[in-house]
């Protein structure tokens, strides 16, 4: 028979590992974050070890290095092969993290954010939005990011009740700053032989 303390530690480990998959498995996150501890705060947590499901409810805040996810609920499931599927939901659920190698942050929000670490895909549903510090801003009813191919897909359902978007995808792409010109050697100096 399993000691109740061991069962609790296994449930917490499942929840933390699954949450790590949701938060840090994406190629969007800074790579250094993957080696940092995961901290989760919530009003409650339920873990079903037999079904390999953990649910965090109520003002959920997940942090790992530069990554912060805020949601009303995060549910993490593990399949038989050890892969995780996580769903963060809120009004809206939000995340913020530092892009690897760029020194800028990406902020995202949607009413539902799903991550599948087997497919390496993050999907944002219902009033989805991604923003970069550079000013780039993408909005749609659905945004999908495939980490394997580094490809974004943004779609609209054509229905946007109560908004002025008329069910269309919106994108603002800021112009990139030109590279600094290299300084030429100082001219006008005479050469003496």
């Amino acid at each position: 028979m399993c000691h109740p303390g061991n069962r609790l530690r296994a449930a917490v480990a499942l929840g933390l590992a699954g949450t790590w998959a949701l938060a840090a498995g994406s190629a969007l996150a800074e790579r250094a974050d993957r080696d940092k501890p995961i901290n989760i705060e919530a009003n409650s947590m339920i873990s079903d070890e037999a079904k390999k499901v953990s649910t965090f409810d109520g003002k959920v805040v997940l942090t790992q290095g530069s990554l912060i996810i805020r949601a009303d609920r995060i549910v993490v499931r593990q399949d038989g092969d050890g892969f995780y599927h996580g769903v963060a939901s809120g009004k809206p659920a939000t995340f913020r993290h530092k892009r690897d190698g760029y020194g800028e942050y990406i902020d995202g929000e949607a009413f539902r954010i799903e991550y599948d670490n087997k497919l390496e895909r993050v999907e944002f549903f219902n009033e989805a939005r991604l923003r970069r510090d550079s000013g780039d801003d993408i909005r749609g009813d659905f945004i999908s990011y495939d980490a394997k191919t580094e490809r974004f897909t943004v779609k609209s359902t054509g229905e946007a009740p109560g908004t002025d978007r008329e069910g269309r995808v919106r994108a603002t792409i800021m112009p990139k700053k030109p590279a600094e010109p290299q300084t030429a050697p100082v001219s006008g100096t005479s050469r003496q032989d």
Side-chain angles (χ1 to χ4, degrees):
M1 183 165 136
C2 222
H3 186 272
N6 291 340
R7 199 172 297 173
L8 176 61
R9 280 192 291 277
V12 169
L14 170 64
L16 292 177
T19 306
W20 176 83
L22 171 68
S26 167
L28 292 172
E30 186 172 45
R31 295 194 192 287
D33 288 347
R34 294 178 186 175
D35 297 328
K36 296 187 178 163
I38 297 167
N39 297 297
I40 302 171
E41 294 180 20
N43 291 345
S44 66
M45 175 192 151
I46 298 172
S47 185
D48 185 332
E49 190 176 338
K51 293 182 180 177
K52 298 189 181 210
V53 176
S54 293
T55 302
F56 300 88
D57 267 314
K59 298 181 182 178
V60 183
V61 179
L62 177 147
T63 59
Q64 183 180 28
S66 69
L67 178 71
I68 301 170
I69 295 176
R70 296 178 189 275
D72 296 331
R73 169 182 271 198
I74 295 178
V75 179
V76 181
R77 290 179 173 80
Q78 181 183 21
D79 70 17
D81 296 327
F83 291 103
Y84 291 93
H85 182 267
V87 178
S89 56
K91 295 179 186 147
T94 64
F95 77 92
R96 176 177 175 83
H97 71 263
K98 187 175 180 186
R99 285 185 67 204
D100 190 35
Y102 287 92
E104 73 174 358
Y105 284 83
I106 291 183
D107 292 290
E109 65 183 49
F111 282 86
R112 188 173 86 238
I113 302 170
E114 296 187 14
Y115 178 72
D116 185 323
N117 81 328
K118 184 175 187 175
L119 299 176
E120 295 183 42
R121 183 175 301 144
V122 182
E123 296 178 326
F124 304 84
F125 297 87
N126 304 323
E127 297 186 34
R129 182 177 189 185
L130 290 176
R131 295 177 307 275
R132 289 187 191 170
D133 284 346
S134 65
D136 293 351
D137 190 347
I138 300 171
R139 298 178 191 210
D141 296 317
F142 171 78
I143 299 173
S144 177
Y145 176 71
D146 186 320
K148 288 180 185 177
T149 63
E150 296 186 2
R151 180 179 173 162
F152 280 94
T153 302
V154 184
K155 295 181 181 180
S156 175
T157 61
E159 303 169 10
T163 70
D164 62 354
R165 291 191 312 109
E166 300 171 1
R168 296 176 52 86
V169 169
R170 303 276 189 215
T172 301
I173 315 271
M174 299 303 291
K176 304 298 178 230
K177 294 180 181 180
E180 296 279 328
Q182 293 185 2
T183 56
V186 178
S187 62
T189 57
S190 62
R191 193 178 122 176
Q192 293 184 343
D193 292 319

